[in-house]
Amino acid sequence: MNVVVAEGDDEVVHLEVVGEGDDDGPAAGTAARTVSRDDWPGEVARTEAAAHLDGGHVRWVWDDTSRWYPELLRAGVRVERCHDLRLAHTILRRSTSSASSDLARADPGPWDVAPEVGEGAEEASPSSTPSLFEQWEAPPPRPERPDPLAELALQEAALRSAGDDAGRLRLLIAAESSGALVASELQHDGLPFRVDVHDATLTRMLGPRPARVGQRPALLEALAAQVRDALDVPTLNPDSQPDLLRALRRSGLDVTSTSKWELQRSEHPAVAPLLEYKKLYRLLSANGWAWMDQWVTDGRFRAEWVPGGVVTGRWATRGGGALQLPKGIRSAVRADDGWLLVIADAAQLEPRILAAMSGDDAMVAAGARGDLYAGLVEAGVVDTRAHAKVAMLAALYGATTGQAAMLVPRLARAYPRAVGLVDAAARVGENGGVVSTWLGRSSVPPGEAWHAAQSAASAPDATPDDERRARSRARDWGRFTRNFVVQGTAAEWALCWMAALRRRLASLEGDAGVPRLAFFLHDELIVHTPGAVADDVAAAVRDAGREASRLLFGPGAPEVPLDVVVAEDYGEGGDADALPVIDDE
């Protein structure tokens, strides 16, 4: 049963029951009722309970999960399923499978507004493929009350227009909508976080917390003084990049930036304290006391997650840096008394997704015993595990120089179907085309600058510079489409993994409570669970991974190995004392 949710006048909510089955559309008949905003959470809870008693399910159809679901969570109400119209609209609007539909051909409108993303997966993007992480340009703001029932009708028509691809698109929309529920629950439930442990870590690394805002901690100030002395600039502010660069040049360092890659080439006495200062300053600014005050409340770290915030379908965040929580602070992530953390990560997810998508049985076999990179060595493709990793990442991201130039041809000879898939996707991008993931999420087309460069190179008066610029832009866009198909499909697998796990966790309630998803990072997740059911949760994590593979690739699909650890804190099993690895600007 689908229940369409719409906001009405005078603090009321309109609910329209649409259809009797999970996939019935608006044409199946409707029934409407109106409830007050105060009664709305209770009505949702009663409707869910009644459906479960009858052995059925409710799917809540609303314009935006992030607008409706947090209110329910605050009232103690959780829903099993939803259909997020905004996320579904984005998928159907861009997908080549539904390109002939009225929804796809309409002028940009209020449903095309993308979420604002302040930070997230784009921070970890390869510099060669920045377009993987760009957003659509948002059209004018959405009106206050969009018509969800009309939009649902358009989406159902778009799905019907997709023909044989409709099943995959429906699975993608269901997984994306489930992900939206998870995102709201992650923020509501939070990741258990000990402020006393984090404060002790910061104090050890930086010195005691300064008494005044903007004042440097003692150890950081001591390093700044060493830098000033070594450069003989007593008033230098090392946080000012222009001032620091001028001071370095005056001291004889031939540098064009203050990046560690340039500084490490010099033996000047200022370099060592400066590199240490930059590392610690990054810790202070990214995960220092101000970060803790803003993002940790009631013993929980609560980021603002943005499902579909990246063009490939990966998640982003609006703040908190959850997608880059460094190892040096993870020991503060500790389970409550009597509870444990189940930490799981999908090993070498993108290469395994590529093997499954392409049907390259030889590459599947290479990873069947666990470590895919070691499997490449055992198969005689390359001589070391390090070379295997270089070759695979080069194939995925389109690297063509250095070691990659030697290693990728070996990979292509051993696994022609896998490498052929990404090579074909790259050619489509180089020609200005659009590619799609396994379930049908399509890439954005190249923009005006790309087309302008190609037109200039084709003009009668084109110069060699015009031609070089056009080839460069074509290659860049080819790298984008090359990885889009794999990264986007890996994101789909992760969504299905979380959805399958979320369903399983709901059945594991014990005397101490229900295990909850507490963290998600592309191919890694954490469940906060009562200790008594931790082993059951670990089994559920593995079962959910197998279900995700079957959902995408069918019965007999190759499994994605999962590293699953049950621990009291996130830092266990690693070097909790290590500083985060920082790539300076």
Side-chain angles (χ1 to χ4, degrees):
M1 177 175 68
N2 295 320
V3 181
V4 180
V5 179
E7 191 170 22
D9 295 319
D10 301 323
E11 292 295 309
V12 298
V13 179
H14 296 304
L15 306 177
E16 299 213 22
V17 179
V18 182
E20 297 297 330
D22 282 346
D23 295 323
D24 288 344
T30 65
R33 63 189 185 276
T34 299
V35 298
S36 72
R37 196 70 187 236
D38 290 340
D39 292 341
W40 137 255
E43 180 67 15
V44 171
R46 289 188 291 272
T47 304
E48 286 266 329
H52 292 163
L53 284 175
D54 293 338
H57 303 278
V58 181
R59 179 183 288 115
W60 299 93
V61 181
W62 44 43
D63 63 331
D64 192 325
T65 303
S66 64
R67 194 161 77 90
W68 292 98
Y69 196 34
E71 180 180 352
L72 297 179
L73 291 171
R74 288 192 294 270
V77 176
R78 295 179 187 248
V79 303
E80 182 182 6
R81 303 179 182 186
C82 82
H83 179 99
D84 189 303
L85 290 166
R86 177 181 59 80
L87 293 173
H89 179 96
T90 300
I91 291 169
L92 295 171
R93 178 79 156 164
R94 301 176 187 175
S95 179
T96 56
S97 297
S98 54
S100 65
S101 66
D102 289 343
L103 184 152
R105 293 183 298 176
D107 293 334
W111 290 98
D112 294 294
V113 174
E116 295 179 1
V117 178
E119 62 172 323
E122 70 274 18
E123 295 178 354
S125 67
S127 60
S128 61
T129 53
S131 299
L132 279 170
F133 307 92
E134 292 176 355
Q135 303 298 311
W136 281 81
E137 183 178 349
R142 179 184 307 160
E144 196 170 316
R145 294 192 187 94
D147 185 348
L149 196 59
E151 173 63 21
L152 180 60
L154 280 173
Q155 292 188 10
E156 286 293 332
L159 285 165
R160 289 192 294 271
S161 76
D164 293 341
D165 293 335
R168 291 188 180 188
L169 283 173
R170 286 187 185 276
L171 174 58
L172 175 55
I173 289 170
E176 187 96 327
S177 296
S178 180
L181 294 175
V182 170
S184 290
E185 290 168 356
L186 287 175
Q187 184 176 6
H188 176 80
D189 296 330
L191 181 68
F193 195 95
R194 288 274 299 277
V195 295
D196 59 330
V197 173
H198 189 56
D199 178 71
T201 299
L202 294 175
T203 300
R204 174 171 53 83
M205 292 180 176
L206 303 171
R209 183 173 186 167
R212 300 191 307 275
V213 175
Q215 183 181 6
R216 290 189 186 93
L219 296 181
L220 204 59
E221 182 57 43
L223 286 168
Q226 291 180 42
V227 173
R228 294 187 191 106
D229 290 344
L231 295 176
D232 195 22
V233 184
T235 59
L236 175 66
N237 175 11
D239 303 334
S240 170
Q241 299 304 307
D243 291 351
L244 179 59
L245 188 58
R246 282 192 293 270
L248 291 168
R249 288 173 175 169
R250 280 197 300 267
S251 296
L253 279 78
D254 184 19
V255 293
T256 59
S257 74
T258 61
S259 74
K260 68 177 180 182
W261 311 113
E262 284 205 72
L263 292 173
Q264 283 173 335
R265 293 198 293 265
S266 172
E267 296 182 0
H268 193 281
V271 169
L274 178 56
L275 290 176
E276 184 70 8
Y277 179 92
K278 288 167 69 68
K279 181 168 62 175
L280 293 179
Y281 180 79
R282 172 61 176 161
L283 172 64
L284 175 66
S285 60
N287 301 106
W289 291 281
W291 169 85
M292 183 172 66
D293 291 344
Q294 182 175 1
W295 296 104
V296 181
T297 57
D298 302 323
R300 293 292 187 268
F301 168 59
R302 306 178 195 275
E304 297 181 28
W305 306 92
V306 184
V310 174
V311 73
T312 59
R314 273 189 168 191
W315 284 20
T317 65
R318 286 195 181 93
L323 300 183
Q324 295 193 23
L325 204 61
K327 290 183 179 179
I329 69 167
R330 290 181 182 180
S331 60
V333 178
R334 300 195 175 186
D336 295 342
D337 290 343
W339 289 58
L340 291 168
L341 303 177
V342 177
I343 306 162
D345 122 66
Q348 301 149 352
L349 179 59
E350 288 190 8
R352 294 178 188 279
I353 290 295
L354 172 59
M357 291 175 68
S358 62
D360 197 315
D361 293 337
M363 189 169 165
V364 171
R369 287 194 291 272
D371 186 339
L372 175 61
Y373 298 140
L376 267 61
V377 177
E378 292 177 14
V381 179
V382 292
D383 56 344
T384 67
R385 188 182 184 280
H387 281 167
K389 188 172 183 178
V390 169
M392 188 62 68
L393 294 179
L396 288 171
Y397 289 96
T400 57
T401 59
Q403 287 184 326
M406 175 185 67
L407 296 173
V408 171
R410 298 183 190 178
L411 199 70
R413 286 193 294 271
Y415 310 118
R417 296 186 69 173
V419 177
L421 186 149
V422 288
D423 282 349
R427 288 193 295 272
V428 171
E430 289 170 3
N431 291 321
V434 170
V435 297
S436 297
T437 61
W438 186 256
L439 294 183
R441 191 191 303 270
S442 295
S443 63
V444 295
E448 292 182 5
W450 187 94
H451 287 287
Q454 308 310 312
S455 297
S458 302
D461 57 348
T463 67
D465 283 344
D466 291 331
E467 295 173 358
R468 280 193 294 270
R469 189 177 301 110
R471 286 194 298 270
S472 176
R473 286 188 176 273
R475 285 194 299 268
D476 285 347
W477 204 258
R479 283 192 287 269
F480 162 59
T481 53
R482 169 187 292 274
N483 188 244
F484 180 96
V485 293
V486 181
Q487 187 183 106
T489 304
E492 292 166 355
W493 183 92
L495 283 171
C496 291
W497 182 32
M498 281 197 297
L501 177 58
R502 180 178 181 267
R503 189 181 69 248
R504 285 170 166 80
L505 294 181
S507 66
L508 292 178
E509 181 173 5
D511 293 339
V514 183
R516 300 290 190 199
L517 274 161
F519 184 74
F520 171 62
L521 172 61
H522 306 323
D523 56 6
E524 181 179 356
L525 56 79
I526 298 176
V527 179
H528 190 215
T529 177
V533 295
D535 289 342
D536 294 331
V537 169
V541 167
R542 294 187 175 94
D543 289 342
R546 286 188 282 269
E547 181 178 336
S549 295
R550 288 195 302 272
L551 282 171
L552 262 68
F553 304 115
E559 288 189 20
V560 174
L562 299 175
D563 296 325
V564 182
V565 175
V566 179
E568 292 184 355
D569 77 67
Y570 193 15
E572 288 185 22
D575 184 3
D577 293 332
L579 283 172
V581 177
I582 301 299
D583 287 330
D584 293 326
E585 70 286 346

XYZ file of all heavy atoms in Angstrom, residues 63-64 84-87 89-90 93-94 108-116 135-143 308 318:
249
model
N 7.629 14.129 -0.692
C 8.514 14.888 -1.582
C 9.968 14.788 -1.179
O 10.853 14.792 -2.035
C 8.070 16.362 -1.662
C 8.160 17.082 -0.323
O 8.016 16.412 0.724
O 8.369 18.307 -0.320
N 10.250 14.678 0.118
C 11.632 14.727 0.563
C 11.718 14.074 1.939
O 11.169 14.581 2.909
C 12.103 16.185 0.636
C 13.603 16.319 0.811
O 14.196 15.473 1.490
O 14.179 17.284 0.266
N 11.008 8.347 -2.008
C 11.428 9.745 -1.974
C 11.290 10.314 -3.380
O 12.061 9.992 -4.283
C 12.880 9.840 -1.488
C 13.325 11.265 -1.215
O 13.247 12.088 -2.147
O 13.758 11.554 -0.081
N 10.302 11.186 -3.562
C 9.990 11.684 -4.902
C 11.113 12.533 -5.481
O 11.364 12.484 -6.690
C 8.686 12.490 -4.866
C 7.414 11.666 -4.623
C 6.245 12.584 -4.271
C 7.065 10.824 -5.850
N 11.792 13.310 -4.639
C 12.865 14.145 -5.169
C 14.028 13.290 -5.670
O 14.550 13.508 -6.769
C 13.375 15.106 -4.084
C 14.542 15.970 -4.549
C 15.049 16.893 -3.452
N 15.486 16.181 -2.278
C 16.680 15.581 -2.160
N 17.514 15.604 -3.181
N 17.011 14.961 -1.049
N 14.442 12.319 -4.875
C 15.539 11.452 -5.300
C 15.149 10.633 -6.529
O 15.959 10.457 -7.451
C 15.948 10.530 -4.148
C 16.588 11.213 -2.941
C 16.789 10.209 -1.808
C 17.909 11.870 -3.313
N 12.928 11.432 -8.783
C 12.841 12.343 -9.917
C 14.217 12.566 -10.549
O 14.355 12.548 -11.776
C 12.251 13.684 -9.474
C 12.134 14.694 -10.567
N 10.960 14.881 -11.280
C 13.035 15.572 -11.092
C 11.152 15.828 -12.184
N 12.407 16.257 -12.087
N 15.225 12.762 -9.710
C 16.576 12.984 -10.227
C 17.051 11.795 -11.041
O 17.626 11.946 -12.126
C 17.547 13.250 -9.068
O 17.118 14.418 -8.361
C 18.964 13.467 -9.574
N 14.898 11.612 -14.274
C 15.150 12.781 -15.118
C 16.415 12.583 -15.962
O 16.472 12.961 -17.124
C 15.319 14.002 -14.213
C 15.644 15.295 -14.923
C 14.414 15.888 -15.530
N 14.546 17.306 -15.715
C 13.751 18.007 -16.501
N 12.769 17.410 -17.168
N 13.897 19.310 -16.629
N 17.437 11.959 -15.374
C 18.722 11.835 -16.044
C 18.910 10.518 -16.778
O 19.737 10.430 -17.680
C 19.846 11.975 -15.012
C 19.839 13.277 -14.256
C 20.937 13.276 -13.198
N 20.857 14.450 -12.328
C 21.631 14.638 -11.279
N 22.543 13.741 -10.969
N 21.505 15.727 -10.537
N 13.160 22.281 -16.886
C 13.535 22.203 -15.467
C 12.483 22.865 -14.588
O 11.917 23.901 -14.929
C 14.864 22.967 -15.414
C 15.420 22.837 -16.795
C 14.227 22.860 -17.718
N 12.202 22.236 -13.473
C 11.165 22.738 -12.579
C 11.526 22.523 -11.127
O 12.670 22.191 -10.790
N 10.559 22.671 -10.254
C 10.833 22.630 -8.806
C 11.351 21.292 -8.308
O 12.062 21.247 -7.310
C 9.475 22.963 -8.174
C 8.474 22.661 -9.242
C 9.133 22.972 -10.530
N 11.010 20.194 -8.983
C 11.488 18.891 -8.519
C 12.953 18.648 -8.874
O 13.534 17.653 -8.437
C 10.621 17.772 -9.106
C 9.247 17.740 -8.520
C 8.112 18.282 -9.050
C 8.853 17.157 -7.276
N 7.045 18.080 -8.223
C 7.471 17.385 -7.125
C 9.534 16.480 -6.283
C 6.763 16.937 -6.007
C 8.826 16.024 -5.177
C 7.461 16.256 -5.033
N 13.540 19.526 -9.670
C 14.932 19.345 -10.083
C 15.925 19.990 -9.125
O 17.126 19.957 -9.375
C 15.142 19.940 -11.485
C 14.371 19.175 -12.531
O 14.703 18.012 -12.757
O 13.420 19.746 -13.103
N 15.457 20.591 -8.051
C 16.361 21.246 -7.109
C 17.214 20.188 -6.418
O 16.707 19.223 -5.858
C 15.577 22.054 -6.059
C 16.527 22.608 -5.010
C 14.824 23.179 -6.743
N 18.532 20.371 -6.477
C 19.460 19.425 -5.854
C 19.758 19.852 -4.434
O 19.658 21.028 -4.096
C 20.759 19.358 -6.655
N 20.117 18.901 -3.551
C 20.497 19.274 -2.179
C 21.787 20.075 -2.185
O 22.657 19.863 -3.018
C 20.697 17.916 -1.492
C 21.059 16.987 -2.610
C 20.277 17.468 -3.811
N 21.865 21.012 -1.268
C 23.107 21.779 -1.127
C 24.126 20.923 -0.388
O 23.827 20.330 0.634
C 22.842 23.069 -0.343
C 21.918 24.027 -1.074
C 21.655 25.273 -0.250
O 22.214 25.345 0.861
O 20.911 26.136 -0.698
N 27.849 18.759 -8.881
C 26.398 18.733 -8.795
C 25.767 19.389 -10.019
O 26.378 20.193 -10.696
C 25.944 19.499 -7.538
C 26.533 18.957 -6.258
C 26.118 17.534 -6.002
O 24.941 17.217 -6.090
N 27.063 16.671 -5.717
N 24.515 19.037 -10.274
C 23.743 19.763 -11.271
C 23.522 21.190 -10.787
O 23.382 21.452 -9.608
C 22.375 19.108 -11.460
C 22.394 17.891 -12.306
C 22.736 16.639 -11.917
C 22.053 17.817 -13.680
N 22.629 15.782 -12.960
C 22.209 16.466 -14.055
C 21.638 18.739 -14.628
C 21.950 16.039 -15.356
C 21.381 18.300 -15.908
C 21.538 16.970 -16.269
N 23.465 22.108 -11.745
C 23.122 23.486 -11.391
C 21.647 23.525 -11.023
O 20.787 23.077 -11.778
C 23.393 24.419 -12.563
C 23.124 25.879 -12.236
C 23.440 26.778 -13.403
O 24.049 26.302 -14.377
O 23.062 27.951 -13.329
N 21.335 24.046 -9.845
C 19.959 24.014 -9.348
C 19.086 25.054 -10.034
O 19.473 26.197 -10.157
C 19.948 24.262 -7.843
N 17.870 24.635 -10.498
C 16.912 25.598 -11.028
C 16.281 26.435 -9.912
O 16.691 26.323 -8.764
C 15.885 24.721 -11.721
C 16.134 23.345 -11.282
C 17.462 23.279 -10.605
N 15.275 27.249 -10.239
C 14.673 28.107 -9.212
C 14.138 27.310 -8.025
O 13.850 26.128 -8.141
C 13.527 28.801 -9.971
C 13.965 28.760 -11.392
C 14.733 27.504 -11.558
N 13.999 27.951 -6.859
C 13.572 27.237 -5.652
C 12.233 26.540 -5.829
O 11.372 26.984 -6.585
C 13.467 28.354 -4.601
C 14.339 29.445 -5.110
C 14.275 29.359 -6.611
N 12.081 25.453 -5.113
C 10.849 24.672 -5.162
C 9.708 25.449 -4.511
O 9.878 26.085 -3.492
C 11.089 23.365 -4.392
C 9.893 22.446 -4.336
C 10.220 21.237 -3.478
N 11.429 20.620 -3.952
C 12.171 19.801 -3.203
N 11.831 19.555 -1.965
N 13.259 19.271 -3.691
N 8.499 25.379 -5.104
C 7.370 26.023 -4.446
C 7.068 25.364 -3.107
O 7.493 24.252 -2.845
C 6.211 25.834 -5.441
C 6.627 24.711 -6.311
C 8.106 24.748 -6.368
N 22.682 10.603 -2.391
C 22.689 11.080 -3.773
C 23.308 12.449 -3.923
O 23.100 13.117 -4.931
N 26.610 17.622 4.697
C 26.547 19.082 4.751
C 27.462 19.643 5.836
O 27.568 20.834 5.991
C 25.109 19.536 5.012
C 24.183 19.392 3.821
C 22.908 20.196 4.031
N 21.999 20.047 2.904
C 21.037 19.146 2.829
N 20.869 18.286 3.822
N 20.254 19.075 1.781
